Amino acid sequence: MQEKDEKDTLVLGGKEFHSRFILGSGKYSLQLIEAAVRDAGAEIVTLAVRRAQTKEHENILSYIPEGVTLLPNTSGARDAHEAVRIAHLARELCGSNFVKIEIMRDTKYLLPDNAETIRATEILAKEGFVVLPYMYPDLNVGRDLVSAGAAAVMPLAAPIGSNRGLATRDFIQMLIDELDLPVIVDAGIGKPSQACEAMEMGAAAVMANTALATAGNLTMMASAFRQAIDAGRKAYLSGLGRVLVRGAASSDPLTGFLRD
Amino acid sequence: MLKINGQETDAAGKSISEYLSSANYEPRQIVVEINEEIIAKERYGETILKDGDVVEIISFMGGG
């Protein structure tokens, strides 16, 4: 059983990962990143790209442990052109060709623009990027992202930073069932039980940031998420027990106690 | 005048290296883009900023 677990890897862009928890690095102290990565067991950490501060500001890269795969996002992009531009800047900064496409036009709900996301995915995949597009969970869009060369899809569970959980559950399930790509549930996952449920559904991984950044104890929550994601993955691999729509089925022998 | 990170700046005639050092940027932590073209680090010394350039100096920060 142990051996089977060890072989259960997540493959993205030809790279194997043992962790299925992608950790965000936003909205908390740089000093906590190393402990968060450790307690999350994370092998992939997301970053944003912004106008630089001068020297006195610390460099986030020096806080991320060696060996972690950097996943820069294109947040701030309003269309495919801007996302491609940010992806190029990010690759120049870290040498990693992994990129999470994030394109938003709407500032209230911060919903991803699926059409522009497909365009950016196509351009960047052709250039050799490992493209992980953040998307609104729509099966037709998912299929277009597969054709565009995405390495995985990252559907939102609920609006970014809302901690409201699997609001789009049924539509994420369609992506999991129909797409031949890893489905990484991103955005809106607020607590470990929701991450666990996403993994039970067959998600390949879960990404979380705000759930940790707004928790009382960030590193303890990182550890709780790790355990929940592992539990959900194991449950999925084991095959969930069936659900009875009607009636009941006792787990005990069906003989009356001291009566027969 | 040219625009650096959205601010009108009087830096025409300076090389990128000179500007970065005068403005206290750490070259290893940033990437420089002029008029939407990324400038390779080895060209910072020879690339001279011109009036009308739009320059972005970019680095990583925390994000999800």
Side-chain angles (χ1 to χ4, degrees), chain A residues 24-26 46 48-56 59-60 73 81 85 88 92-94 100 102 207 209, chain B residues 5-6 23-33 36 38-41 56-64:
Chain A
S25 62
T46 60
V49 176
R50 286 293 182 279
R51 284 176 169 162
Q53 312 274 354
T54 46
K55 250 180 210 163
E56 2 356 316
N59 178 18
I60 189 169
N73 68 38
H81 172 78
R85 186 175 163 200
H88 289 161
E92 188 71 19
L93 275 170
C94 69
K100 173 182 159 186
E102 209 175 312
M207 143 102 217
N209 190 147
Chain B
N5 283 0
N24 208 21
Y25 284 102
E26 170 53 65
R28 280 171 307 170
Q29 300 173 1
I30 53 150
V31 57
V32 176
E33 193 197 61
E36 296 203 16
I38 293 172
I39 309 299
K41 285 204 186 341
E56 296 290 344
I57 301 173
I58 302 293
S59 66
F60 279 129
M61 61 173 288

Side-chain angles (χ1 to χ4, degrees), chain A residues 30-145:
Chain A
L30 295 178
Q31 276 76 17
L32 282 173
I33 290 181
E34 191 175 355
V37 169
R38 184 192 62 223
D39 291 355
E43 295 171 322
I44 303 177
V45 171
T46 60
L47 294 165
V49 176
R50 286 293 182 279
R51 284 176 169 162
Q53 312 274 354
T54 46
K55 250 180 210 163
E56 2 356 316
H57 293 269
E58 297 173 279
N59 178 18
I60 189 169
L61 290 184
S62 45
Y63 289 87
I64 298 178
E66 282 286 308
V68 167
T69 295
L70 302 176
L71 176 58
N73 68 38
T74 67
S75 65
R78 285 157 298 179
D79 57 30
H81 172 78
E82 288 182 3
V84 168
R85 186 175 163 200
I86 295 170
H88 289 161
L89 290 164
R91 182 174 59 184
E92 188 71 19
L93 275 170
C94 69
S96 165
N97 61 349
F98 277 62
V99 65
K100 173 182 159 186
I101 308 271
E102 209 175 312
I103 302 176
M104 294 155 192
R105 277 188 301 182
D106 150 62
T107 54
K108 182 171 181 191
Y109 298 104
L110 300 172
L111 294 174
D113 183 322
N114 278 346
E116 290 294 310
T117 300
I118 295 166
R119 285 183 53 210
T121 299
E122 194 163 15
I123 294 166
L124 290 167
K126 273 193 189 131
E127 292 181 8
F129 279 86
V130 177
V131 185
L132 288 82
Y134 170 60
M135 53 131 22
Y136 191 85
D138 173 316
L139 181 55
N140 294 315
V141 172
R143 289 183 170 133
D144 288 345
L145 288 168

Side-chain angles (χ1 to χ4, degrees), chain B:
Chain B
M1 294 295 267
L2 53 142
K3 229 176 211 177
I4 300 181
N5 283 0
Q7 301 269 326
E8 291 287 343
T9 310
D10 184 14
K14 282 187 181 174
S15 70
I16 296 177
S17 298
E18 284 163 350
Y19 176 75
L20 292 178
S21 135
S22 69
N24 208 21
Y25 284 102
E26 170 53 65
R28 280 171 307 170
Q29 300 173 1
I30 53 150
V31 57
V32 176
E33 193 197 61
I34 301 182
N35 304 326
E36 296 203 16
E37 186 199 335
I38 293 172
I39 309 299
K41 285 204 186 341
E42 51 274 19
R43 288 179 52 213
Y44 285 0
E46 69 194 48
T47 304
I48 307 298
L49 301 171
K50 299 187 304 295
D51 275 330
D53 277 347
V54 177
V55 180
E56 296 290 344
I57 301 173
I58 302 293
S59 66
F60 279 129
M61 61 173 288

